[in-house]
Short mmCIF file of all heavy atoms in Angstrom, two decimals:
data_model
loop_
_atom_site.label_atom_id
_atom_site.label_comp_id
_atom_site.label_asym_id
_atom_site.label_seq_id
_atom_site.Cartn_x
_atom_site.Cartn_y
_atom_site.Cartn_z
N LEU I 16 137.32 168.08 -30.08
CA LEU I 16 136.98 168.41 -31.46
C LEU I 16 136.90 167.10 -32.21
O LEU I 16 137.89 166.42 -32.39
CB LEU I 16 138.04 169.32 -32.07
CG LEU I 16 137.89 169.65 -33.54
CD1 LEU I 16 136.59 170.42 -33.75
CD2 LEU I 16 139.07 170.47 -34.01
N VAL I 17 135.71 166.74 -32.66
CA VAL I 17 135.52 165.49 -33.38
C VAL I 17 134.78 165.78 -34.68
O VAL I 17 133.56 165.87 -34.70
CB VAL I 17 134.73 164.46 -32.54
CG1 VAL I 17 134.62 163.15 -33.29
CG2 VAL I 17 135.39 164.24 -31.20
N PRO I 18 135.49 165.99 -35.78
CA PRO I 18 134.81 166.24 -37.04
C PRO I 18 134.08 164.99 -37.51
O PRO I 18 134.53 163.88 -37.26
CB PRO I 18 135.93 166.61 -38.01
CG PRO I 18 137.19 166.18 -37.36
CD PRO I 18 136.93 166.01 -35.90
N CYS I 19 132.98 165.17 -38.16
CA CYS I 19 132.19 164.05 -38.66
C CYS I 19 132.89 163.41 -39.85
O CYS I 19 133.05 164.03 -40.90
CB CYS I 19 130.79 164.52 -39.05
SG CYS I 19 129.78 163.17 -39.66
N ARG I 20 133.32 162.17 -39.69
CA ARG I 20 134.02 161.47 -40.75
C ARG I 20 133.09 161.13 -41.90
O ARG I 20 133.52 160.95 -43.03
CB ARG I 20 134.65 160.19 -40.20
CG ARG I 20 135.77 160.49 -39.25
CD ARG I 20 136.42 159.24 -38.79
NE ARG I 20 135.51 158.51 -37.92
CZ ARG I 20 135.70 157.28 -37.50
NH1 ARG I 20 136.76 156.63 -37.86
NH2 ARG I 20 134.85 156.70 -36.70
N CYS I 21 131.80 161.05 -41.64
CA CYS I 21 130.83 160.68 -42.67
C CYS I 21 130.83 161.68 -43.82
O CYS I 21 130.76 161.30 -44.98
CB CYS I 21 129.41 160.62 -42.09
SG CYS I 21 129.26 159.66 -40.61
N PHE I 22 130.90 162.95 -43.49
CA PHE I 22 130.78 163.98 -44.49
C PHE I 22 132.12 164.48 -45.03
O PHE I 22 132.22 164.89 -46.16
CB PHE I 22 130.01 165.19 -43.92
CG PHE I 22 128.61 164.83 -43.50
CD1 PHE I 22 128.27 164.82 -42.16
CD2 PHE I 22 127.66 164.46 -44.43
CE1 PHE I 22 126.99 164.49 -41.77
CE2 PHE I 22 126.39 164.12 -44.05
CZ PHE I 22 126.04 164.13 -42.71
N ARG I 23 133.15 164.44 -44.21
CA ARG I 23 134.43 165.01 -44.60
C ARG I 23 135.49 163.98 -44.94
O ARG I 23 136.52 164.32 -45.48
CB ARG I 23 134.95 165.90 -43.48
CG ARG I 23 134.03 167.05 -43.21
CD ARG I 23 134.68 167.99 -42.21
NE ARG I 23 133.76 169.09 -41.96
CZ ARG I 23 133.46 169.55 -40.78
NH1 ARG I 23 134.00 169.04 -39.72
NH2 ARG I 23 132.62 170.54 -40.63
N GLY I 24 135.29 162.74 -44.55
CA GLY I 24 136.30 161.72 -44.78
C GLY I 24 137.55 161.94 -43.93
O GLY I 24 138.62 161.49 -44.27
N GLU I 25 137.42 162.65 -42.81
CA GLU I 25 138.56 162.96 -41.95
C GLU I 25 138.63 162.00 -40.78
O GLU I 25 137.66 161.36 -40.42
CB GLU I 25 138.42 164.38 -41.40
CG GLU I 25 138.42 165.44 -42.45
CD GLU I 25 138.18 166.82 -41.87
OE1 GLU I 25 138.14 166.94 -40.62
OE2 GLU I 25 138.04 167.76 -42.65
N GLU I 26 139.81 161.93 -40.19
CA GLU I 26 139.98 161.14 -38.97
C GLU I 26 139.45 161.92 -37.79
O GLU I 26 139.37 163.14 -37.81
CB GLU I 26 141.47 160.86 -38.74
CG GLU I 26 142.09 159.99 -39.77
CD GLU I 26 143.55 159.73 -39.46
OE1 GLU I 26 143.95 159.88 -38.29
OE2 GLU I 26 144.27 159.37 -40.38
N GLU I 27 139.10 161.20 -36.73
CA GLU I 27 138.69 161.85 -35.50
C GLU I 27 139.89 162.56 -34.88
O GLU I 27 140.99 162.04 -34.89
CB GLU I 27 138.15 160.83 -34.49
CG GLU I 27 136.83 160.25 -34.87
CD GLU I 27 136.35 159.27 -33.83
OE1 GLU I 27 137.17 158.56 -33.24
OE2 GLU I 27 135.14 159.22 -33.63
N VAL I 28 139.65 163.74 -34.37
CA VAL I 28 140.68 164.49 -33.68
C VAL I 28 140.36 164.41 -32.20
O VAL I 28 139.42 165.01 -31.72
CB VAL I 28 140.72 165.97 -34.16
CG1 VAL I 28 141.75 166.75 -33.36
CG2 VAL I 28 141.02 166.03 -35.64
#
Side-chain angles (χ1 to χ4, degrees):
L16 175 63
V17 183
C19 180
R20 292 183 291 170
C21 309
F22 299 112
R23 298 187 180 134
E25 298 176 6
E26 294 181 21
E27 289 181 324
V28 176

